[in-house]
Amino acid sequence: MTATLPRSALLAAWGTAALTGGASADQARAAVQGADEPHTVTVRPGAPLGACDGGSVTALLTELRALGTRGLRVVLPVPGDVLGLPGPAALNTEALDAGECVVTVGGPDLAFVPQVHEFGSAWEPGAQVTWTVHQASASAVTDFGSVAEAERHLREALADGIAALDDLDVARWRDDAADAIDELRHGAGPARRLPPGTSARALRVVDLAWRVRGIAELAAGDEGGAVTGWEVGTRAATLRELASVGRRALVAAVNEPVARLR
């Protein structure tokens, strides 16, 4: 399991840094792109952007700055929990299908959804990414709680998650899981990919969220020792809650700089 962040989390973090003077637009582009092919931008009709259509993340951030955008925030929606999506319905459907999007703070109300085409092999993977710019509705609910609260919930969830892995004995049920479990317990998380100036607590929370979400993903693929339908259902509900805690904590940590702008 590789320590990664959703591309929308990287765009929100580095885009906010670029818009507030903590990084250049080119630095943000390089950080968001990573090992992907060069990202491109396409603008849907109605969105008040023109110069960046067909261009790069650098062009997108440059135009956003000129329009008065002060920051970007990430939204990681899943069925049953779309907190933070601004609408309209067509945008929300596309963001839900992608499982992620980025929303502007200040300036025109816009949202960016990544469309990812993966190619290559497990040994030489590649990805082509297009950010689709949508006109968004104003003011979505964005309160995911403080980063301090997120850290506390994550530490509780991490202890529960490791206990769940031990109860499931996932490494025994799935031969390919042992290395992933070891990385989740001891490996370096993805916080190192965030921009300079990210708070120490936010960095801790991002790495903890990665571990919690990874545990939920691994454990969700196994029924372990469950025998009855009730046991299977209870385990599934527990793992959904574990994944939700990790997802919301990641959002709170990445969006912390934007919360301070308000």
Side-chain angles (χ1 to χ4, degrees), residues 209-244:
W210 166 71
R211 296 180 203 283
V212 167
R213 296 177 81 204
I215 287 169
E217 180 182 333
L218 276 174
D222 296 89
E223 293 181 1
V227 175
T228 68
W230 180 85
E231 289 174 330
V232 172
T234 299
R235 175 171 287 113
T238 299
L239 293 176
R240 281 196 301 271
E241 177 60 23
L242 194 65
S244 178

Side-chain angles (χ1 to χ4, degrees), residues 30-256:
V32 173
Q33 183 175 300
D36 297 341
E37 296 296 307
H39 291 197
T40 57
V41 176
T42 184
V43 181
R44 288 281 173 86
L49 293 177
C52 68
D53 192 20
S56 66
V57 169
T58 298
L60 172 64
L61 293 172
T62 300
E63 191 165 359
L64 289 175
R65 185 187 295 113
L67 290 171
T69 302
R70 296 183 294 131
L72 304 175
R73 58 179 176 83
V74 65
V75 183
L76 300 176
V78 296
D81 185 359
V82 296
L83 182 66
L85 283 180
L91 163 62
N92 289 357
T93 297
E94 190 170 316
L96 190 57
D97 287 343
E100 57 180 302
C101 76
V102 178
V103 180
T104 57
V105 174
D109 294 306
L110 300 168
F112 320 125
V113 181
Q115 298 174 325
V116 182
H117 171 65
E118 296 182 340
F119 60 89
S121 66
W123 297 274
E124 292 186 88
Q128 294 176 322
V129 180
T130 299
W131 293 93
T132 302
V133 180
H134 296 258
Q135 177 71 52
S137 302
S139 65
V141 176
T142 59
D143 184 10
F144 285 80
S146 70
V147 180
E149 291 171 333
E151 184 173 25
R152 176 170 58 81
H153 292 318
L154 277 172
R155 292 196 182 280
E156 295 170 356
L158 185 60
D160 292 343
I162 289 176
L165 279 180
D166 290 339
D167 290 344
L168 284 165
D169 195 8
V170 173
R172 178 170 63 85
W173 290 85
R174 284 175 52 193
D175 292 338
D176 64 336
D179 290 343
I181 291 171
D182 186 64
E183 183 177 355
L184 284 169
R185 283 176 162 158
H186 308 295
R192 62 187 183 275
R193 296 193 63 188
L194 293 175
T198 303
S199 74
R201 172 165 269 163
L203 293 173
R204 289 197 305 270
V205 166
V206 166
D207 279 349
L208 282 171
W210 166 71
R211 296 180 203 283
V212 167
R213 296 177 81 204
I215 287 169
E217 180 182 333
L218 276 174
D222 296 89
E223 293 181 1
V227 175
T228 68
W230 180 85
E231 289 174 330
V232 172
T234 299
R235 175 171 287 113
T238 299
L239 293 176
R240 281 196 301 271
E241 177 60 23
L242 194 65
S244 178
V245 169
R247 182 170 49 83
R248 286 178 172 244
L250 175 59
V251 169
V254 170
N255 290 346
E256 184 188 38

